[in-house]
Amino acid sequence: MYSKFGRIGYARYIFDNIPERNEASWNTMMSCYVRVGLYPESIGFFSGMIGRGFRPSGFVIASLITACDKSACMFNEGLQVHAFVVKIGLLCDVFVGTSLLHFYGTYGLVSKSRKLFEEMPDKNVVTWTSLIVGHSNNGDLGEVMNIYKRMRLEGVCCNDNTFAIVISTCGMLEDELLGRQVLGHVMKLGLENSVSVANSLISMYGGCGNVDEAFYVFDHMDERDIISWNSIISASAQNGLCEESLRCFHYMRHVNKEVNSTTLSSLLTVCGSTYKLKWGSGIHGLVVKFGLESNVCVGNTLISMYSETGRSEDAELVFQRMTEKDIISWNSMLACYVQNEECQKALKLFAKMLRMRKPVNYVTLTSVLSACPNPEFLIQGKILHAIAVLTGLQDNVIIGNALVTMYGKFSMIVEAEKVLQIMPKRDEVTWNALIGGYTESKDPNEVIKAFKLMREEGTPANYITIINVLGGFMTPGDLLKHGMPFHAHIVLTGFESDKYVQSTLITMYAKCGDLNSSNSIFNGLDFKNSISWNAIIAANANHGLEKALKLVVMMKKAGVDLDQFSFSVALSVSADLAMLEEGQQLHGLVVKLGFDSDHYVTNAAMDMYGKCGEMEDVLKLLPSPTNRSRLSWNILISSFAKHGCFQKAKEAFHEMLNLGTKPDHVTFVSLLSACSHGGLVDDGLAYYYAMTTEFGVPPGIEHCVCIIDLLGRSGRLAEAENFIKGMVVQPNDLVWRSLLAACKIHRNVELGRKAAEHLLELDPSDDSAYVLLSNVCATTGRWEEVENVRRQMGSRNITKKPACSWVKLKTEVNKFGMGEQSHPQTGQIYAKLGELMKMIREAGYVPDTSYALQDTDEEQKEHNLWNHSERIALAFGLINTPEGSPVKVFKNLRVCGDCHSVYKHVSAAVGRKIILRDPYRFHHFSDGKCSCSDYW
């Protein structure tokens, strides 16, 4: 009696004062401990009972196993009880066996649960239902239906609980037809008026997207409980009907139905987007008002909601404030970190779970395996694989799929294949993961081979399969051999109408160099959604940036909502074109539509401002140090490097390390570039060697180019040449072009010839090889060789890429070539140039005619220098911008040394800040000085 009221102290007092205790006394007292939730105490009491020689009943053993089940952290104790059950011969007791089934199912060990089930001599409907629950909780929905079919074949009569789970499973499978077939069985047994069955029907129809049927069942129920209301709210929420969910909630309160944690959790699930966060915040307020903050279910849903809206800090705060956490709480927080790419935090949280002996299931391991996104996490990934084996979860198909995916991302395809081969069961996700791995490894032949094996095994392909296969084709050769025949297969199998396949086809043709086919597919679509628009924008961005930006405008005019991807691509295009005004307008729209909380969009905006010369705006958008992703750190370091802030780039790198963010390939490219442009030779070499020895980042061609540039700029050409000879990667055109440019600076003709020869071996039509070699010869006065190189270019129909500079005024781009004469303001521009020439001569400017690479007299050389496009653009900018405002000039080639000197003198003479961007970096001129300190 006392235990029913939770007064366990009184119950124990009476028990202790019974003069003669029998088995019934002990069994009753132990059941009291379980009933009030004192699970560890129940184990201790049970040990005492056995120690005194009392034999427990099957009912008590079942109660004790339930304690180990409900505690969620007494797995080892449960195993010991199982061993005791075997020892005393109670395994044949149907209640004990059923409790053990449920226990193993709760801890995700469905294979053990199934083995036990098959060994049980007696089974009742509860036993069967427990097995179904175990498979359902483990995500094995197909097996739930198989067990239900077997129940029917063996004549086991289902109860309303069985039907509730089976019908809900049909909803999770999104198989309405199957659900209707089960409903026929329900009606045959006369259980259609059961409230629990009706509730599950509402859930099923909601899961299948048939909200009208869900409301029909709800409206025709004779009796409704709180689960009925929660089910209809959940059905609306599942289908994104936020306002309908809130309307049902209003009606629910109007009929005085009690609101519980499930009600609020269902409402919170529909608020997991930037647009609907205001509703979520309001419901969070109701959670506090109703005193449900300590409720585990509500806390879990709040974590998920904040996670889905990118608010990981708020999710973390909810998690930390939860007084009680279950396995879903831990899994939700893990998923939040993974979703927000905070992989180190996810791994640390998982380690904490293990230290605290928290139970882990297939969901836990799936999330934490996703926190190993690249080869840098190889060791952690292998440890997790070992944990999966040790916990007996390696046979779970979802864990197997996660392992195949992980090894695919690591480009360890042999290991991925081994995992696939030993999996007891494979599905389309397994094959998709393997095909995706081959795609990541850029092996189109193996992609097709795996697809054929999948078909031979009888596993049906889905749209993800098709997308993964298409992603493996990258070159014109791939298009002819595989891409076009596979496109024919897509048409034959009907996948051509799938919106995701359509966008992937657009991407595939563009990647393989056939933009016309991409545009043709896009133009032929009857319905163009955001996915297809984003695909064609990205396709054009890789072939012509201005066209891509025009498409963004067209997308907006067509009434299609821009999303995170649209904004990221559009901002990236604005960055590459240095179109600040357009970028600012896009950023304004980002803020207006609430996408400023999306870290991908924020990073794209930071990158845009950095490439448009607005370093202050980069710093304004920069997340706080503790919340910066690696991408944000990389953009910051890169921006500092481009703007000549070399020491700040180094400081940012070390701050990044101190805060525990691991640098990657891109980090070191930006850092080494900063050292190269800043003349920090020793620092750059030290970082390069630390990159592999301390941080495990393998050297890529980009890193090697930075080192050659670093050594070459500083005049250490012999070291640069030796470095190339010892490179672990094959030298490409960037390597030889960098060495050749260094030879021009330091007038090393012999080494320049060698570099040019290597460059022309790779691409005989490369104009830069001829131009740079010609410049090397010109700087040393070898005019005959200059003419010889130019004759070779003429005989091979190779033309030099013309230099041009431009100034952007509002929406108009004013472009200038060498000696430009076609601009409407030509007269004013050259008058301004003459004025500037006079001003800076008086200030001490002396022309360096070595940069005039023609065999003419000094006067003509100086005249030629004043015809350089960057000087003409500067004069135009000074004329057409307000007095005292900065002037921004952009150039497609590296600025010449004498023009650099002119810009310095002009900045002092006119008292204005001048910003010059060439393909490599920004030069900030002010008061006669440049941010590069004359080293660039």
Side-chain angles (χ1 to χ4, degrees):
M1 180 190 77
Y2 282 115
S3 70
K4 289 180 181 178
F5 295 102
R7 311 299 290 271
I8 192 69
Y10 288 116
R12 183 61 192 257
Y13 177 81
I14 292 171
F15 174 81
D16 289 339
N17 286 282
I18 295 175
E20 287 187 26
R21 293 187 286 260
N22 57 19
E23 287 182 6
S25 312
W26 284 91
N27 290 339
T28 304
M29 188 64 225
M30 208 203 68
S31 297
C32 291
Y33 278 115
V34 175
R35 186 179 291 118
V36 298
L38 296 173
Y39 305 129
E41 288 81 354
S42 66
I43 290 288
F45 186 83
F46 178 74
S47 299
M49 175 182 177
I50 300 305
R52 295 182 181 233
F54 288 97
R55 179 184 172 87
S57 66
F59 175 77
V60 167
I61 292 289
S63 180
L64 190 64
I65 295 166
T66 302
C68 297
D69 180 345
K70 289 183 176 179
S71 74
C73 61
M74 291 169 60
F75 178 67
N76 289 333
E77 289 85 347
L79 292 178
Q80 291 168 6
V81 174
H82 188 176
F84 178 76
V85 164
V86 173
K87 182 179 177 181
I88 63 173
L90 267 178
L91 199 58
C92 58
D93 186 293
V94 69
F95 297 107
V96 173
T98 302
S99 299
L100 281 168
L101 275 182
H102 204 281
F103 165 76
Y104 284 119
T106 299
Y107 284 95
L109 300 175
V110 182
S111 56
K112 287 185 179 293
S113 180
R114 190 59 178 262
K115 185 172 182 291
L116 179 67
F117 175 82
E118 301 298 347
E119 291 172 353
M120 287 175 66
D122 296 315
K123 307 175 185 77
N124 58 22
V125 65
V126 180
T127 313
W128 284 90
T129 305
S130 292
L131 184 65
I132 285 175
V133 169
H135 280 284
S136 176
N137 291 343
N138 205 46
D140 197 352
L141 306 180
E143 198 55 39
V144 168
M145 301 312 300
N146 289 336
I147 296 166
Y148 167 69
K149 290 172 186 174
R150 184 176 160 190
M151 283 179 77
R152 295 199 63 188
L153 285 171
E154 295 191 17
V156 180
C157 188
C158 300
N159 61 19
D160 50 1
N161 290 331
T162 318
F163 281 122
I165 297 164
V166 172
I167 292 170
S168 296
T169 300
C170 295
M172 287 185 275
L173 288 168
E174 298 182 11
D175 192 336
E176 189 177 330
L177 177 61
L178 186 61
R180 288 181 183 276
Q181 290 172 348
V182 176
L183 177 58
H185 188 199
V186 168
M187 296 180 75
K188 187 177 178 181
L189 293 175
L191 292 172
E192 66 271 20
N193 292 322
S194 163
V195 175
S196 63
V197 170
N199 293 342
S200 65
L201 280 169
I202 294 169
S203 296
M204 181 200 74
Y205 285 124
C208 294
N210 196 341
V211 184
D212 291 340
E213 285 290 344
F215 271 100
Y216 179 86
V217 173
F218 179 79
D219 292 338
H220 287 79
M221 287 176 73
D222 296 328
E223 179 189 350
R224 300 187 190 104
D225 59 12
I226 191 169
I227 298 172
S228 313
W229 285 95
N230 290 344
S231 297
I232 197 65
I233 289 170
S234 179
S236 300
Q238 270 182 288
N239 290 278
L241 302 175
C242 182
E243 292 183 11
E244 194 62 46
S245 300
L246 293 168
R247 196 175 291 114
C248 290
F249 177 61
H250 172 73
Y251 292 152
M252 178 182 183
R253 297 187 73 188
H254 183 70
V255 297
N256 297 318
K257 279 293 178 184
E258 179 190 353
V259 172
N260 65 8
S261 58
T262 307
T263 317
L264 296 179
S265 294
S266 297
L267 288 169
L268 286 167
T269 59
V270 82
C271 299
S273 73
T274 309
Y275 298 114
K276 297 167 186 170
L277 184 59
K278 61 179 181 180
W279 296 110
S281 299
I283 296 162
H284 193 170
L286 283 177
V287 168
V288 176
K289 180 181 176 181
F290 292 145
L292 290 170
E293 286 176 290
S294 59
N295 183 277
V296 178
C297 178
V298 172
N300 296 344
T301 319
L302 281 168
I303 292 170
S304 297
M305 181 193 74
Y306 285 122
S307 170
E308 287 166 15
T309 53
R311 303 275 288 268
S312 59
E313 287 181 12
D314 291 327
E316 205 168 40
L317 196 61
V318 171
F319 181 76
Q320 288 167 355
R321 287 179 175 174
M322 288 175 71
T323 52
E324 184 185 342
K325 302 178 185 78
D326 63 8
I327 191 168
I328 298 172
S329 317
W330 291 90
N331 289 347
S332 299
M333 198 63 233
L334 275 173
C336 175
Y337 284 139
V338 172
Q339 195 168 325
N340 287 281
E341 296 188 347
E342 297 176 282
C343 300
Q344 292 292 350
K345 283 187 175 182
L347 291 166
K348 285 177 183 176
L349 186 67
F350 180 68
K352 186 177 179 181
M353 286 182 74
L354 296 179
R355 285 196 304 273
M356 293 175 68
R357 296 184 67 201
K358 294 290 179 182
V360 299
N361 61 11
Y362 78 98
V363 178
T364 319
L365 272 179
T366 303
S367 289
V368 80
L369 282 166
S370 299
C372 300
N374 56 55
E376 294 174 29
F377 293 86
L378 173 60
I379 294 171
Q380 294 93 325
K382 287 194 168 184
I383 291 170
L384 292 171
H385 190 172
I387 290 171
V389 174
L390 288 170
T391 54
L393 290 170
Q394 81 275 14
D395 290 339
N396 182 286
V397 69
I398 296 172
I399 295 292
N401 294 341
L403 286 167
V404 174
T405 302
M406 180 189 76
Y407 283 121
K409 287 178 181 176
F410 293 173
S411 296
M412 299 174 69
I413 301 299
V414 173
E415 284 74 9
E417 286 177 338
K418 285 179 182 175
V419 172
L420 180 138
Q421 287 164 2
I422 64 171
M423 286 173 67
K425 184 179 178 183
R426 296 186 283 268
D427 58 16
E428 70 273 11
V429 180
T430 319
W431 286 102
N432 289 347
L434 184 66
I435 292 168
Y438 283 125
T439 298
E440 289 277 335
S441 300
K442 297 176 179 157
D443 193 339
N445 293 324
E446 289 297 328
V447 166
I448 291 294
K449 183 179 173 184
F451 178 69
K452 288 178 178 176
L453 286 171
M454 176 184 182
R455 295 184 70 195
E456 286 170 9
E457 194 175 84
T459 305
N462 58 17
Y463 76 96
I464 296 172
T465 319
I466 304 299
I467 288 169
N468 282 350
V469 173
L470 288 170
F473 312 141
M474 310 284 287
T475 66
D478 294 341
L479 181 62
L480 287 171
K481 185 178 179 182
H482 300 302
M484 296 175 84
F486 194 71
H487 189 175
H489 172 78
I490 289 169
V491 174
L492 286 170
T493 52
F495 278 108
E496 196 180 26
S497 60
D498 184 275
K499 59 186 178 181
Y500 299 105
V501 173
Q502 289 168 351
S503 64
T504 311
L505 280 167
I506 291 168
T507 303
M508 187 268 293
Y509 276 104
K511 278 196 301 186
C512 293
D514 187 356
L515 187 60
N516 288 335
S517 291
S518 291
N519 288 323
S520 177
I521 292 168
F522 177 76
N523 293 331
L525 296 177
D526 295 327
F527 175 70
K528 299 177 178 70
N529 54 24
S530 62
I531 300 165
S532 52
W533 275 103
N534 289 339
I536 198 66
I537 289 167
N540 279 275
N542 291 325
H543 289 79
L545 296 173
E546 292 186 30
K547 174 73 186 295
L549 208 53
K550 285 177 184 175
L551 282 164
V552 172
V553 176
M554 288 169 62
M555 177 181 177
K556 196 166 182 298
K557 284 182 179 176
V560 180
D561 290 334
L562 295 169
D563 58 17
Q564 293 96 321
F565 186 84
S566 314
F567 280 120
S568 296
V569 172
L571 286 165
S572 176
V573 171
S574 299
D576 291 333
L577 289 173
M579 301 177 82
L580 177 61
E581 288 79 7
E582 286 81 354
Q584 287 172 326
Q585 290 169 14
L586 283 165
H587 188 210
L589 196 57
V590 163
V591 175
K592 183 181 177 182
L593 296 177
F595 284 104
D596 50 327
S597 61
D598 184 279
H599 71 281
Y600 289 110
V601 176
T602 300
N603 286 326
M606 282 170 55
D607 190 46
M608 182 272 296
Y609 283 119
K611 288 178 178 175
C612 290
E614 301 295 320
M615 194 65 210
E616 288 182 6
D617 287 318
V618 174
L619 298 175
K620 283 178 188 175
L621 287 177
L622 189 67
S624 62
T626 52
N627 292 316
R628 265 174 229 165
S629 65
R630 182 164 56 195
L631 180 56
S632 299
W633 283 109
N634 288 348
I635 291 170
L636 178 64
I637 294 167
S638 176
S639 297
F640 277 141
K642 282 187 174 71
H643 287 266
C645 308
F646 310 121
Q647 290 300 330
K648 286 185 177 180
K650 285 174 56 183
E651 288 167 11
F653 174 72
H654 289 287
E655 187 182 3
M656 173 187 179
L657 295 182
N658 291 336
L659 289 168
T661 304
K662 193 174 179 182
D664 65 359
H665 174 99
V666 178
T667 316
F668 280 104
V669 171
S670 299
L671 185 64
L672 293 173
S673 176
C675 294
S676 172
H677 287 289
L680 308 174
V681 182
D682 292 336
D683 288 337
L685 291 172
Y687 286 132
Y688 177 79
Y689 292 115
M691 178 178 77
T692 51
T693 55
E694 290 182 36
F695 300 102
V697 177
I701 196 70
E702 297 91 345
H703 305 123
C704 296
V705 171
C706 287
I707 293 299
I708 295 157
D709 195 50
L710 177 86
L711 295 168
R713 284 175 190 271
S714 62
R716 294 159 68 167
L717 295 174
E719 288 180 60
E721 186 180 14
N722 288 330
F723 179 85
I724 293 171
K725 290 175 181 175
M727 276 170 55
V728 293
V729 288
Q730 190 72 21
N732 67 357
D733 60 323
L734 296 172
V735 169
W736 297 114
R737 196 174 294 117
S738 183
L739 182 63
L740 185 51
C743 291
K744 174 184 173 290
I745 296 169
H746 299 287
R747 305 184 179 190
N748 189 324
V749 179
E750 294 307 316
L751 185 56
R753 282 201 192 95
K754 287 184 187 177
E757 286 170 8
H758 283 292
L759 195 50
L760 291 170
E761 280 177 17
L762 293 170
D763 182 5
S765 63
D766 188 339
D767 68 310
S768 67
Y770 296 98
V771 172
L772 285 169
L773 180 58
S774 171
N775 291 348
V776 173
C777 296
T779 55
T780 55
R782 304 187 184 202
W783 299 111
E784 287 185 12
E785 294 186 39
V786 170
E787 285 303 315
N788 182 43
V789 172
R790 288 175 180 170
R791 277 195 299 272
Q792 287 180 37
M793 289 181 71
S795 66
R796 294 170 185 172
N797 294 320
I798 296 167
T799 54
K800 175 188 172 183
K801 180 182 180 182
C804 71
S805 301
W806 64 95
V807 175
K808 192 164 184 293
L809 298 176
K810 294 184 179 177
T811 58
E812 186 182 355
V813 176
N814 293 269
K815 192 178 286 187
F816 304 93
M818 175 83 168
E820 184 68 51
Q821 295 289 332
S822 62
H823 196 275
Q825 290 180 268
T826 296
Q828 291 173 268
I829 291 168
Y830 282 98
K832 187 69 173 179
L833 281 173
E835 182 188 323
L836 293 173
M837 186 191 303
K838 185 180 177 183
M839 289 172 70
I840 65 175
R841 277 185 183 280
E842 290 173 357
Y845 160 73
V846 177
D848 184 351
T849 56
S850 67
Y851 287 97
L853 303 175
Q854 293 87 23
D855 186 16
T856 60
D857 58 38
E858 290 299 303
E859 186 178 343
Q860 183 60 45
K861 284 183 178 180
E862 185 179 351
H863 176 76
N864 291 343
L865 287 172
W866 280 93
N867 276 327
H868 280 192
S869 65
E870 55 262 58
R871 300 191 198 197
I872 300 171
L874 174 60
F876 171 83
L878 289 168
I879 293 167
N880 291 281
T881 53
E883 193 69 34
S885 65
V887 177
K888 285 186 184 176
V889 178
F890 300 86
K891 189 178 179 188
N892 67 333
L893 301 176
R894 188 174 182 269
V895 62
C896 96
D898 191 61
C899 289
H900 189 271
S901 178
V902 167
Y903 269 57
K904 286 198 301 178
H905 281 89
V906 170
S907 71
V910 300
R912 293 177 71 173
K913 185 177 180 181
I914 305 168
I915 301 166
L916 172 65
R917 174 190 167 179
D918 66 16
Y920 306 102
R921 52 166 302 164
F922 282 90
H923 295 267
H924 294 261
F925 299 93
S926 182
D927 299 323
K929 295 179 182 177
C930 180
S931 58
C932 73
S933 301
D934 298 335
Y935 189 96
W936 80 97

